[in-house]
């Protein structure tokens, strides 16, 4: 049976650079949107505008939108036609999104703070335990009388 693949990959090894997203107000003005605007599609989906991208080979601009779940997709709006049903969501929706993002950040910070306090408490307990063990060891060393050769050491208290 002949080997497949041969081990080495063909090609230069470098990937082609992705076209950068244009995010300035001037680039987005023809579409009527700004970065972080919520867009409602004719199908009822809602996404967030992340910029404008020049489509390779076609030299055409496409409005790039990120949908829930991280899917990024171009909305190919014709500049000379109306928005074809794509419209900006109301300001209340933008505010609510920002509130939800802020709540999520606060929740993560509270969890991090609680974890840090728990680590600090455990460290303090470990230090206290080490100090107690060291103190016990020092007391045992101090209680043992030194033996002199030939002498018998008697306990300090008599057995009951």
């Amino acid at each position: 049976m002949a080997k497949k693949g041969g081990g080495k990959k063909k090609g230069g090894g470098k990937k082609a650079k992705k076209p950068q997203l244009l995010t300035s107000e001037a680039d987005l003005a023809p579409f009527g949107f700004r970065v972080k605007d919520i867009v409602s599609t004719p199908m009822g989906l809602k996404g967030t505008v992340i910029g404008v991208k020049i489509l390779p080979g076609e030299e055409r601009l496409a409005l790039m939108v990120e949908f829930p779940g991280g899917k990024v997709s171009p909305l190919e709006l014709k500049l000379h036609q109306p928005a074809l049903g794509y419209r900006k969501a109301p300001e209340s929706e933008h505010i609510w999104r920002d509130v939800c993002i802020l709540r999520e950040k606060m929740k993560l910070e509270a969890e991090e703070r609680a974890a840090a306090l728990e680590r600090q408490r455990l460290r303090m307990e470990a230090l206290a335990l080490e100090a107690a063990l060291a103190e016990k060891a020092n007391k045992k060393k101090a209680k043992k009388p030194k033996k002199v050769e030939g002498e018998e050491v008697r306990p300090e208290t008599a057995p009951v």
Side-chain angles (χ1 to χ4, degrees):
M1 204 179 217
K3 287 185 180 180
K4 292 183 180 179
K8 287 191 176 182
K9 292 184 181 180
K10 295 181 181 178
K14 288 190 175 184
K15 294 182 179 180
K17 288 185 178 181
K18 291 182 181 179
Q20 295 292 326
L21 288 175
L22 307 172
T23 57
S24 71
E25 297 259 342
D27 295 325
L28 290 162
F31 296 102
F33 295 106
R34 295 188 316 201
V35 174
K36 294 190 178 181
D37 275 351
I38 297 174
V39 177
S40 297
T41 66
M43 297 290 292
L45 297 173
K46 293 188 180 179
T48 305
V49 174
I50 58 172
V52 174
K53 184 177 184 180
I54 301 172
L55 296 176
E58 300 174 23
E59 297 303 319
R60 202 173 59 191
L61 293 176
L63 185 69
M64 299 302 290
V65 177
E66 183 177 6
F67 292 100
K71 177 78 174 157
V72 177
S73 178
L75 298 182
E76 297 180 29
L77 305 175
K78 310 272 192 275
L79 297 179
H80 60 278
Q81 292 182 349
L84 300 174
Y86 296 102
R87 63 184 194 284
K88 182 178 173 181
E91 285 299 315
S92 60
E93 213 166 314
H94 288 84
I95 293 169
W96 184 248
R97 177 202 52 202
D98 294 341
V99 167
C100 290
I101 290 171
L102 184 63
R103 280 185 182 169
E104 190 65 31
K105 284 182 183 177
M106 288 174 58
K107 182 180 175 184
L108 289 174
E109 287 175 0
E111 288 172 0
E112 288 174 4
R113 193 176 309 114
L117 288 174
E118 181 65 16
R119 284 192 305 270
Q120 183 181 15
R121 185 188 64 80
L122 290 173
R123 240 183 262 128
M124 295 303 286
E125 284 181 7
L127 288 173
L129 186 61
E130 285 178 13
L133 289 174
E135 201 173 301
K136 249 186 192 181
N138 287 341
K139 284 184 181 178
K140 282 185 181 179
K141 286 181 183 177
K143 281 188 177 180
K144 289 184 182 178
K146 294 182 183 177
K147 284 189 178 181
V148 178
E149 287 186 33
E151 272 188 42
E152 188 177 320
V153 178
R154 303 176 106 202
E156 290 181 14
T157 59
V160 180

